[in-house]
Every structure is written in structure tokens, then in C-alpha cells.
Amino acid sequence: MTETYTRTISSRKATKKSGEDAIELDAEDQLFYDLLKSELDVLLRNPPSGSIHKITTYSRAQRTPLT
């Protein structure tokens, strides 16, 4: 008989660990990211309906029928 379990990790430790994996950007890349971030945040919060339609259409086309 095999016993399996999952260790529980506090959210604080998980957040701290994910921050350790962060990539350091040079000044030019950081500036580029900062310029795009505000526009990407707007798209994330309020995506155009056309984008949602394209994503769902693509998703449906990728599904294989269960036959």
C-alpha cells in the first residue's frame, strides 16, 4: 500500500518563493515593461468583446470530439 500526501505551504511562503524566481530586467527592458503594463492591465480588466469571441472560437476549434 502506498501513502501519498501533499505538504501544505502557507500563502506567505508561497508568495515569498515566487518572488525569488523573479527575473531581473535591465533598465531598458524595465522601461519597456512599465510602458506596456498599464495598457495590458486595461485589457485584462476590460477586454474587447471581439477578443473574447476570438479566444472562445479558437478554443472550441482546438477541442477534439469524444467519439
Side-chain angles (χ1 to χ4, degrees), residues 43 46-60:
L43 287 174
N46 190 15
S49 60
S51 296
I52 294 170
H53 177 71
K54 288 177 185 177
I55 291 168
T56 55
T57 301
Y58 178 81
S59 176
R60 281 188 214 115

Side-chain angles (χ1 to χ4, degrees), residues 26-45:
D26 62 14
E28 186 177 321
D29 289 338
Q30 185 65 45
L31 178 62
F32 181 70
Y33 173 76
D34 290 341
L35 289 171
L36 288 179
K37 187 175 182 320
S38 63
E39 293 177 34
L40 292 173
D41 286 345
V42 169
L43 287 174
L44 178 66
R45 289 187 184 99

